[in-house]
């Protein structure tokens, strides 16, 4: 019976692949007239996709940005046609106007639903809209303002932890700031997001939940090829039956991911049940929990209990949001922060100017939410880093039906004709070039590749404001736009600004070790040939001139 089942799966998969991919070899497409790089040294098996998933694929992306006018035809695996897009009008149609035609790819949705449950990253269409309707108010500025004390408390712990690392040394010390920022990001998400403490920072505290979370992203990268096969595997039988099949897969990485997911799910359920019990017991019980009921999960549970039956989310989906929020928010913001520290270390004049602004505003105390968000240079430093070095450089979409994609600027087709719009067939992979949009010289000017926080202190060029880039944040695609824009972008901004404010108590200088930024689902730094994320910086205590 089992052999027949496997045979059926194999035949179904082979038939699907033959239809989906090899038809593109013989069937002509309107995409063939769109300009793009030729296949040279790339394998036919992977096509240009091998550059998009290469940790050192920066030059390929830079060439697309510099050589093409907002839209490029690429060749994917086995001749599959793909579009790489950074034209503002085209992006608006993809993420806003026709967002339900350009949906997330099958491998993206299916893998996140399998790993994290039915949270925002694992749902589509009306299901996704219902979830966002419940979640949007939870991430409001009002709630972010209420959580400011949590952010400040964790910032103080980070400051104390780094001071302890410097204690006993006469001068600056080299520290792996990636490790410290990642730990801080996890604790911020834990306390402000879930009402749970993962890591006190000032002391070592083993936590299997925290360990599983830290191992999730590296293990996911190792499974990137297998993730792309998921959409073509039929979902036979019950979830229990499919789990048994999963346990039989003789692959160490698959089994490691299964163990990670089991731990995250089990602890998420435990935290969820504790929160429900506290809410049912009343406000007094809630205030005794970590976060004192100000955390996002407590607010979400209250809102869900008060919602109508039609709008209420089932427990399974609420638990899925917990896992999703942790995974979507931890590595992205922590690596954006690490990139900012790297740039500040290399630009001491910017570092000094930022420190002066923060010290003058804080006067030795904590910054309240409104004061923190009113600091123009801190805001400029954050915006410029998120523009130049977005942690997610591209987003894959897939057309659910035939659609026409209009362009803001016409392009010259391979046949010499002027193209104002492109008919895009169903099942076409469309890649939003987030990094390319943020670094497009036609929009941002000839200095688009330079890190210049000052650009945000005066009115932006008309080329930026008139481009009408559909990003949710500051003319940038960093947090995307439309119905699948990053729901936690205000949380991310809050986290970045609090941590940077704390770290102005220290001086930062580059290490002599070679730093390499890896192009990945989430951009991250390594040292030399190591695969472990690291950012060594030389850190010292700041001493005002009057103290010398």
């Amino acid at each position: 019976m089992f052999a027949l089942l496997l045979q059926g799966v194999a035949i179904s998969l082979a038939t699907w692949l033959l239809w989906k991919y090899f038809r593109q070899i013989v069937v002509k497409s309107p995409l063939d007239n769109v300009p793009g790089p030729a296949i040279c040294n790339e394998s036919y098996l992977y096509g240009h996709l091998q550059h998009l998933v290469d940790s050192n694929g920066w030059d390929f992306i830079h060439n697309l940005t510099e050589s093409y006018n907002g839209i490029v035809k690429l060749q994917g695996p086995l001749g599959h046609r793909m579009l790489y897009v950074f034209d503002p009008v085209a992006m608006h149609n993809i993420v806003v106007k026709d967002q339900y035609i350009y949906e997330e790819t099958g491998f993206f949705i299916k893998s996140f639903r399998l790993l994290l449950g039915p949270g925002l990253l694992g749902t589509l269409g009306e299901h996704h809209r219902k979830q966002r309707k419940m979640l949007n108010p939870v991430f409001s500025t009002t709630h972010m303002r209420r959580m400011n004390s949590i952010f400040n408390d964790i910032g103080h712990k980070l400051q104390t932890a780094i001071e302890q690392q410097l204690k006993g040394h006469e001068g600056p010390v080299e520290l792996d700031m990636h490790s410290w920022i990642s730990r801080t990001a996890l604790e911020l998400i834990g306390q402000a997001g879930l009402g749970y403490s993962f890591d006190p920072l000032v002391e070592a505290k083993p936590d299997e939940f925290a360990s599983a979370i830290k191992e999730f992203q590296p293990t996911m990268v190792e499974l990137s090829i297998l993730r792309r096969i998921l959409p073509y595997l039929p979902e036979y039988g019950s979830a229990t039956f499919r789990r048994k099949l999963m346990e039989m897969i003789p692959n160490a990485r698959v089994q490691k991911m299964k163990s990670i997911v089991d731990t995250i799910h089990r602890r998420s359920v435990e935290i969820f049940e504790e929160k429900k019990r506290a809410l049912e017991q009343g406000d007094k019980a809630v205030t005794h929990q970590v976060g004192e009921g100000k955390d996002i999960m407590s607010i979400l549970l209250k809102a869900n209990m008060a919602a109508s039956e039609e709008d209420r989310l089932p427990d399974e989906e609420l638990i899925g949001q917990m896992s999703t929020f942790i995974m979507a928010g931890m590595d992205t913001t922590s690596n954006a922060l690490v990139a900012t520290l790297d740039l500040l270390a290399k630009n001491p004049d910017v570092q000094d100017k930022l420190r002066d602004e923060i010290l003058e505003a804080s006067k030795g105390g904590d910054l309240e939410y409104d004061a923190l968000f009113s600091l123009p240079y801190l805001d400029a430093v954050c915006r410029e880093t998120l523009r130049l070095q977005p942690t997610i450089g591209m987003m894959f979409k897939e057309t659910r039906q035939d659609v026409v994609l209009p362009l803001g600027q016409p392009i010259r087709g391979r046949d010499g004709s002027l193209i104002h719009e492109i008919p895009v067939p169903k099942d076409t992979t469309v890649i939003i070039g987030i990094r390319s949009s943020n670094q497009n010289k036609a929009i941002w000017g000839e200095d688009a590749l330079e890190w210049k926080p000052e650009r945000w202190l005066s009115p932006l060029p008309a080329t930026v404001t008139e481009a009408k880039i559909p990003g949710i944040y500051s003319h940038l695609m960093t947090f995307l736009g439309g119905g699948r824009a990053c729901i936690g972008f205000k949380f991310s901004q809050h986290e970045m600004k609090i941590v940077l404010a704390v770290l102005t108590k220290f001086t930062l200088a580059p290490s002599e070790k070679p730093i390499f930024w890896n192009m990945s689902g989430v951009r991250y730094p390594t040292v030399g040939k190591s695969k472990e994320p690291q950012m060594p910086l030389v850190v010292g205590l700041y001493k005002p001139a009057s103290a010398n």
Side-chain angles (χ1 to χ4, degrees):
M1 176 66 183
F2 185 69
L4 287 174
L5 178 60
L6 287 179
Q7 186 179 18
V9 170
I11 292 171
S12 299
L13 178 59
T15 304
W16 179 266
L17 288 173
L18 284 170
W19 168 245
K20 187 172 180 67
Y21 285 107
F22 288 101
R23 62 174 175 164
Q24 300 224 15
I25 300 173
V26 293
V27 178
K28 292 190 69 174
S29 167
L31 303 185
D32 293 336
N33 198 31
V34 177
I39 289 289
C40 297
N41 299 320
E42 297 86 355
S43 73
Y44 181 72
L45 179 61
Y46 296 111
H48 294 122
L49 182 65
Q50 71 186 68
H51 298 299
L52 302 180
V53 299
D54 183 358
S55 63
N56 196 25
W58 304 112
D59 288 345
F60 182 75
I61 297 297
H62 178 71
N63 181 60
L64 297 182
T65 311
E66 294 283 300
S67 304
Y68 297 92
N69 191 21
I71 191 155
V72 190
K73 191 202 88 169
L74 300 178
Q75 187 159 305
L78 302 175
H80 185 74
R81 300 175 184 91
M82 305 189 300
L83 282 180
Y84 183 85
V85 180
F86 55 101
D87 174 286
V89 171
M91 289 192 299
H92 174 80
N93 278 264
I94 293 167
V95 303
V96 180
K97 183 175 179 291
D98 292 325
Q99 60 182 292
Y100 303 118
I101 296 176
Y102 298 91
E103 288 276 23
E104 308 301 290
T105 58
F107 82 84
F108 181 96
I109 293 296
K110 200 164 186 178
S111 61
F112 275 114
R113 189 169 67 241
L114 178 68
L115 298 173
L116 303 180
L120 280 176
L121 295 179
T123 54
L124 291 170
E126 186 57 39
H127 193 179
H128 185 267
R129 289 194 289 275
K130 180 182 176 182
Q131 290 187 352
R132 281 194 81 103
K133 180 181 177 182
M134 176 63 68
L135 287 162
N136 275 327
V138 175
F139 288 91
S140 68
T141 300
T142 301
H143 291 316
M144 293 300 109
R145 189 178 284 110
R146 290 182 62 210
M147 290 191 289
N148 197 61
S149 59
I150 299 175
F151 281 73
N152 272 318
D153 288 346
I154 296 169
H156 288 314
K157 290 181 180 179
L158 172 62
Q159 179 182 339
T160 301
I162 293 178
E163 286 172 347
Q164 288 181 353
Q165 296 296 309
L166 302 181
K167 194 174 181 180
H169 297 274
E170 292 185 5
V173 176
E174 183 178 282
L175 300 177
D176 178 13
M177 292 306 293
H178 188 280
S179 173
W180 284 108
I181 296 300
S182 294
R183 289 176 65 181
T184 304
L186 181 57
E187 184 64 0
L188 279 164
I189 289 176
Q191 289 200 32
L194 307 183
Y196 178 88
S197 178
F198 288 105
D199 185 347
L201 296 177
V202 292
E203 61 186 67
K205 176 192 171 189
D207 187 301
E208 64 168 351
F209 195 8
S211 298
I213 290 165
K214 290 172 184 175
E215 291 175 356
F216 182 88
Q217 184 62 30
T219 308
M220 183 111 113
V221 171
E222 293 175 347
L223 292 170
S224 57
I225 299 300
L226 287 176
R227 280 182 71 204
R228 293 176 182 276
I229 297 174
L230 276 175
Y232 314 117
L233 298 178
E235 294 187 4
Y236 286 121
S238 65
T240 303
F241 175 72
R242 294 195 299 272
R243 182 180 176 80
K244 290 291 185 186
L245 289 180
M246 182 74 69
E247 291 172 353
M248 296 171 64
I249 298 176
N251 183 295
R253 292 169 181 169
V254 170
Q255 297 309 318
K256 181 181 179 181
M257 180 58 89
K258 176 185 168 296
S259 176
I260 290 169
V261 169
D262 286 348
T263 299
I264 292 172
H265 179 73
R266 176 171 49 79
R267 291 297 291 123
S268 294
V269 170
E270 290 170 2
I271 294 168
F272 176 78
E273 293 298 338
E274 287 171 11
K275 288 208 162 296
K276 275 185 69 176
R277 282 195 297 271
L279 286 170
E280 288 165 357
Q281 291 169 14
D283 292 340
K284 188 175 180 180
V286 172
T287 57
H288 283 92
Q289 291 191 316
V290 173
E292 300 178 349
K294 299 175 186 175
D295 60 277
I296 285 171
M297 206 61 211
S298 293
I299 297 166
L300 175 59
L301 283 174
K302 286 180 185 176
N304 197 58
M305 288 176 176
S308 65
E309 188 68 33
E310 180 184 357
D311 292 333
R312 196 172 299 151
L313 301 181
D315 287 359
E316 179 190 24
E317 293 185 20
L318 293 171
I319 294 167
Q321 308 308 340
M322 292 173 66
S323 304
T324 298
F325 182 54
I326 294 169
M327 297 310 167
M330 181 184 160
D331 283 339
T332 49
T333 306
S334 64
N335 279 298
L337 267 167
V338 169
T340 309
L341 298 183
D342 184 31
L343 290 163
L344 287 171
K346 293 171 180 173
N347 294 272
D349 55 329
V350 176
Q351 185 181 156
D352 290 342
K353 189 172 179 179
L354 178 62
R355 180 183 295 109
D356 290 345
E357 180 184 71
I358 290 171
L359 293 179
E360 172 64 26
S362 64
K363 301 191 184 307
D366 289 341
L367 285 166
E368 295 299 325
Y369 182 89
D370 292 327
L372 182 71
F373 276 79
S374 67
L375 299 178
Y377 203 65
L378 173 60
D379 191 60
V381 166
C382 292
R383 286 176 193 264
E384 183 66 349
T385 303
L386 292 169
R387 181 194 69 82
L388 185 64
Q389 304 294 5
T391 52
I392 297 175
M394 67 191 82
M395 183 62 68
F396 287 74
K397 300 277 188 177
E398 203 169 66
T399 52
R400 297 295 189 249
Q401 64 186 61
D402 293 349
V403 65
V404 175
L405 182 64
L407 306 178
Q409 295 291 328
I411 60 171
R412 187 70 62 181
R414 290 182 179 275
D415 63 0
S417 63
L418 206 58
I419 301 174
H420 295 268
E421 58 183 26
I422 300 171
V424 183
K426 180 184 177 183
D427 293 330
T428 298
T429 298
V430 177
I431 305 158
I432 301 171
I434 295 171
R435 187 179 181 88
S436 296
S437 175
N438 289 1
Q439 296 182 1
N440 189 350
K441 289 180 180 178
I443 293 173
W444 293 96
E446 287 302 312
D447 62 355
L449 300 181
E450 300 175 35
W451 188 65
K452 295 174 68 173
E454 283 72 19
R455 80 171 75 239
W456 298 96
L457 300 178
S458 55
L460 292 169
T463 50
V464 175
T465 57
E466 293 172 3
K468 294 183 171 50
I469 296 164
I472 195 174
Y473 171 75
S474 200
H475 307 286
L476 303 175
M477 289 302 293
T478 305
F479 295 108
L480 288 176
R484 295 197 79 96
C486 174
I487 199 168
F489 82 98
K490 292 176 183 175
F491 189 102
S492 177
Q493 287 179 281
H494 197 172
E495 180 180 334
M496 285 187 72
K497 291 184 176 184
I498 283 284
V499 172
L500 289 174
V502 165
L503 293 180
T504 53
K505 311 286 196 308
F506 305 95
T507 60
L508 303 170
S511 163
E512 294 183 359
K513 294 176 180 175
I515 306 297
F516 175 72
W517 282 92
N518 296 263
M519 198 170 88
S520 179
V522 176
R523 178 177 178 269
Y524 66 96
T526 52
V527 174
K529 295 182 180 179
S530 171
K531 293 183 179 180
E532 292 297 316
Q534 298 176 64
M535 174 51 73
L537 292 176
V538 179
V539 182
L541 280 172
Y542 170 68
K543 297 178 181 178
S546 58
N548 293 330

